[in-house]
Amino acid sequence: MTVRNHQPYDETNVFARILRGEIPCRRVHETEHALAFHDINPQAPVHVLVIPKGPYVSLADFTAHAPAELVAGFFRAVGETARMLGLEETGYRILANAGPHAHQEVPHLHVHIFGGRPLGPMLTRLPGN
Ligand code: 5GP
């Protein structure tokens, strides 16, 4: 287990296992720095996840600790993936959950790409907000 900023990276998380080829995924795009694949439980007609090839829990962990080539390569792959999915014209949303308030389920940095229909407001309004 790699410890970064008191945030342990769990090598057994599902995206680490996908990167190691231990469980399958429906791949969309792959580069030296990133892997993009369809979400197993899609929330929109297009719902793809992009993950960096490295042990980073969150965006803060990634941008603080990853080499510059990996940070650049990862974000380049997110843009390439959106283009490859044909979302440039109609538009899309990217989202990265971090920590409990954002309901991050998998503790390996991932960017969601949503598209294929109008996506509605950015956040669901909760009672009292
Ligand atoms: P989070 O809430 O952490 O931002 O989102 C995790 C996402 O990973 C969820 O949308 C969930 O459906 C997806 N997911 C969880 N396990 C798997 C899996 O084994 N394969 C794929 N392709 N997606 C997964």
Side-chain angles (χ1 to χ4, degrees):
M1 196 175 269
T2 312
V3 177
R4 296 174 184 277
N5 259 0
H6 310 291
Q7 279 181 297
Y9 178 81
D10 175 6
E11 303 279 353
T12 68
N13 80 75
V14 71
F15 295 165
R17 298 184 63 207
I18 285 175
L19 279 178
R20 289 197 296 268
E22 292 168 9
I23 51 176
C25 69
R26 286 176 54 218
R27 187 180 351 191
V28 174
H29 184 38
E30 182 164 14
T31 70
E32 179 188 350
H33 301 295
L35 176 66
F37 52 95
H38 291 277
D39 195 289
I40 205 167
N41 181 25
Q43 309 288 313
V46 178
H47 184 176
V48 165
L49 303 169
V50 191
I51 64 176
K53 291 185 174 178
Y56 304 99
V57 174
S58 65
L59 193 69
D61 181 21
F62 184 61
T63 52
H65 300 109
E69 315 83 70
L70 180 55
V71 175
F74 171 67
F75 284 107
R76 195 166 286 126
V78 174
E80 287 167 357
T81 302
R83 262 198 305 282
M84 290 169 71
L85 290 164
L87 298 174
E88 285 282 285
E89 198 174 320
T90 49
Y92 58 92
R93 180 171 294 156
I94 66 170
L95 181 147
N97 292 315
H101 277 191
H103 291 235
Q104 182 180 9
E105 285 172 17
V106 180
H108 181 115
L109 171 62
H110 49 285
V111 167
H112 298 253
I113 301 176
F114 300 103
R117 65 162 165 77
L119 295 166
M122 192 160 59
L123 288 178
T124 306
R125 223 168 248 289
L126 299 175
N129 280 297

